């Protein structure tokens, strides 16, 4: 498969999401949803740890040639993530009372020996 093709990138994105799920479970998150689709876009992962619902964008890069994966989360992407999160909370009202929520990103860096996977909070 051509490494520049849409399908190659989509496959690697899914592999990155699976790696992110394993990472989150290892760090005591419960996975509430994966690839949750709304009219505003998709939430890659919705996780729960203690009483915090976390809406997570996963970014994978095969190299650092085009910058760090976290640099790919632009303001417009974050705005779509927030709107999609409100859709999720509206559809899952059990998480509206006595819960907090936050936004985060997971960077998948298979090229990095120091930090191949990293979870960072996104501050609105």
């Amino acid at each position: 498969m051509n490494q520049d093709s849409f399908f190659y990138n989509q496959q690697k994105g899914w592999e990155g999401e699976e790696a992110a799920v394993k990472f989150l479970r290892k760090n005591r998150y419960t996975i509430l949803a994966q690839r949750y689709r709304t009219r505003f876009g998709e939430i890659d992962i919705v996780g729960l740890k203690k009483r915090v619902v976390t809406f997570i964008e996963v970014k994978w890069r095969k190299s650092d040639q085009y910058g760090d994966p976290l640099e790919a989360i632009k303001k417009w992407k974050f705005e779509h993530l927030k709107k999609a999160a409100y859709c999720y909370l509206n559809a899952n009202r059990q998480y509206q009372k006595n819960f907090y929520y936050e936004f985060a990103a997971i960077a998948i860096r298979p090229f990095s020996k120091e930090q191949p996977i990293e979870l960072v909070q996104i501050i609105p």
Side-chain angles (χ1 to χ4, degrees):
M1 188 179 306
N2 180 351
Q3 291 191 3
D4 293 325
S5 76
F6 169 79
F7 296 110
Y8 175 82
N9 291 331
Q10 187 177 46
Q11 180 66 33
K12 288 299 178 184
W14 290 339
E15 289 173 18
E17 285 178 24
E18 289 307 313
V21 165
K22 287 179 186 176
F23 174 84
L24 290 166
R25 286 187 174 135
K26 182 179 172 186
N27 286 282
R28 302 181 194 270
Y29 280 82
T30 299
I31 304 305
L32 301 176
Q34 281 184 259
R35 298 185 202 121
Y36 184 83
R37 299 202 44 79
T38 75
R39 66 186 178 128
F40 299 107
E42 184 177 272
I43 303 171
D44 292 335
I45 301 170
V46 181
L48 176 67
K49 186 174 182 179
K50 297 184 181 176
R51 301 200 67 73
V52 179
V53 179
T54 306
F55 300 96
I56 302 165
E57 176 71 16
V58 178
K59 288 297 179 188
W60 172 90
R61 293 289 181 268
K62 63 183 171 187
S63 74
D64 61 356
Q65 179 180 359
Y66 297 107
D68 190 78
L70 298 176
E71 293 173 356
I73 302 174
K74 305 296 184 199
K75 183 177 179 176
W76 67 266
K77 178 66 176 171
F78 180 61
E79 292 302 318
H80 285 271
L81 180 62
K82 285 195 306 188
K83 290 176 184 176
Y86 297 137
C87 289
Y88 181 88
L89 290 171
N90 191 45
N92 295 276
R93 294 184 185 270
Q94 69 269 29
Y95 299 115
Q96 291 182 4
K97 189 174 181 183
N98 299 320
F99 284 84
Y100 299 96
Y101 68 92
E102 68 181 18
F103 301 94
I106 290 185
I108 308 290
R109 303 178 188 100
F111 56 88
S112 172
K113 293 193 185 339
E114 298 161 5
Q115 201 163 32
I117 188 164
E118 176 185 21
L119 174 69
V120 295
Q121 185 179 11
I122 301 173
I123 308 295

